[in-house]
Amino acid sequence: MALPSSLRPILRDPMLMLSGALLILFGAYAATLAPYASALAVTVFGLSDGAYSALLVVASVLSVSASVGFGILADQRANRRVIALASGGFLVAGTGLMTFGPSVTSFVLAHALILPLSGSLFGQFFALARLAATLHPERDRPGIQATLRAAFALPWVCVLPIWSVVFGAGVPLITIYPVSLVMAGILLALVCRFWPRDGATRWPDPKSGLSFAQSLREMAEARVLIRVLALGTIHGAVTLYLVVIGLVFAGIAHRGAGDTALYAGILAGLEVPFMLALPMVLGRVSQTGLIWWGMALYGVHLAGLPILAETPYVWLLTIPGAAGGAIVLTQPMAYLQELLAARPGAGASLMALQKLAGDAICAGVFAIGAMLGGYGLAAILGAGLGLVGAGALWALDRRRQ
């Protein structure tokens, strides 16, 4: 059987294969730890809702600061391997602290201070992939990026059902930490062994020549920030789906947690083949046009949830949701990296700024929607705002062209 065209360059290039392996491992790590951190904070370590909210704010600010700071340093000094090793070290240290000394103090230190310092890893992996992809024909590069994003999503489809079975058998929730530590250790070992030495890469990676302040000013230009904000509305819609899916199913349709998990699992499972098929569309539609269509499909899924939640037709929403998700989870990342094409580290850091904007937008839309009309209105408002943001992005680039 012939390999998909987007997979061939990855399987033939050791650095792209390394990027894919690291993203798969990082995806498995995130799928193991992220869904259960809040439950551990409240039910195991006894943090109040307010205390955990404060922890999340601190962690978010520190994670974004680390992503931006490390990204700028990587561009300034072209020392991407050192930055990746340092970030991987924080990942191992935070998970190790919770493995060998679990306590409320350790939880706060790990999740508020140590683990957020590894926040640049995701961007650094894509920066490596983007630089390695410059050795391939330009027409292949968007497909390579989309396929590697699918590599990060794939473990979520496999890992979450496994943990569901494991916890159903009575295994303590805190078991996720030693398992996560093993994955973090393997990830760090791969970086140490296979990441190319700084200054000895097959592709040109010159130092930026900019001071830290100059790099920050470059990222803070109006043309950059307005596009990050527009893409933030799309990220906010994706985040809002994760917030409202359980609330809509339980509060509107009176469905149980099993239906919620099944819907999320089907959606995540369908996103992967759509991501792998995405290279067939890339190049035929403008990138901003494709993002708009992706948000339109995702908006159908998000806005349709409260309308169809009580009917069997709700399961059909997973199809436009997955098709749109495949686009809005991959193309904004590629767009942001190209926005500062000469600065791979800073370009990757823009993903962290997009996430920060998206999280703030999600929180605001959820609060307003829930107050005025319930969870269903919040979902519809989030879908509409994401569509407006995608349209604004298309209009900005159309005007520039």
Side-chain angles (χ1 to χ4, degrees), residues 33-60:
L33 199 58
Y36 306 108
S38 58
L40 281 162
V42 176
T43 63
V44 176
F45 296 109
L47 291 180
S48 66
D49 292 341
Y52 185 60
S53 297
L55 183 151
L56 288 178
V57 171
V58 173
S60 180

Side-chain angles (χ1 to χ4, degrees), residues 14 80 106 109 122 137 177 184 209-210 219-220 227 231 324 338 369:
R80 304 187 193 283
S106 297
L109 286 174
F122 188 72
Y177 286 109
L210 300 178
M219 294 177 67
R227 286 167 171 80
L231 289 170
E338 291 300 323

Side-chain angles (χ1 to χ4, degrees), residues 46-189:
L47 291 180
S48 66
D49 292 341
Y52 185 60
S53 297
L55 183 151
L56 288 178
V57 171
V58 173
S60 180
V61 171
L62 191 57
S63 178
V64 171
S65 300
S67 295
V68 172
F70 284 158
I72 291 174
L73 285 175
D75 289 339
Q76 277 183 328
R77 303 178 183 181
N79 59 346
R80 304 187 193 283
R81 184 176 187 273
V82 172
I83 297 295
L85 283 171
S87 300
F90 285 122
L91 197 72
V92 170
T95 316
L97 179 62
M98 289 303 300
T99 299
F100 298 111
S103 67
V104 62
T105 302
S106 297
F107 184 89
V108 171
L109 286 174
H111 285 271
L113 299 177
I114 302 175
L115 289 175
L117 290 174
S118 68
S120 71
L121 270 177
F122 188 72
Q124 290 301 323
F125 294 159
F126 273 98
L128 173 66
R130 185 183 177 281
L131 287 166
T134 59
L135 301 179
H136 294 263
E138 190 170 354
R139 66 179 182 276
D140 293 340
R141 295 173 197 171
I144 289 171
Q145 294 287 340
T147 302
L148 289 175
R149 180 58 179 80
F152 178 78
L154 183 61
W156 291 78
V157 182
C158 310
V159 170
L160 290 176
I162 292 173
W163 280 115
S164 178
V165 173
V166 169
F167 293 141
V171 174
L173 195 60
I174 204 165
T175 307
I176 63 174
Y177 286 109
V179 175
S180 298
L181 179 59
V182 171
M183 289 187 284
I186 295 172
L187 186 150
L188 183 59

Side-chain angles (χ1 to χ4, degrees), residues 239-257 259-261 305-306 309-310 362 366-367 369-370 374-379:
T239 306
L240 190 64
Y241 152 68
L242 298 173
V243 172
V244 303
I245 175 65
L247 298 172
V248 167
F249 268 31
I252 296 177
H254 307 292
R255 295 179 181 270
D259 279 357
T260 301
L305 278 175
E310 294 180 283
C362 170
F366 178 77
Y375 305 134
L377 179 60

Side-chain angles (χ1 to χ4, degrees), residues 4 7 115-116 132-133 139 194 200 230 345 348-349 368 401:
L7 275 176
L115 289 175
R139 66 179 182 276
F194 296 109
S349 298
I368 294 170
Q401 293 166 3

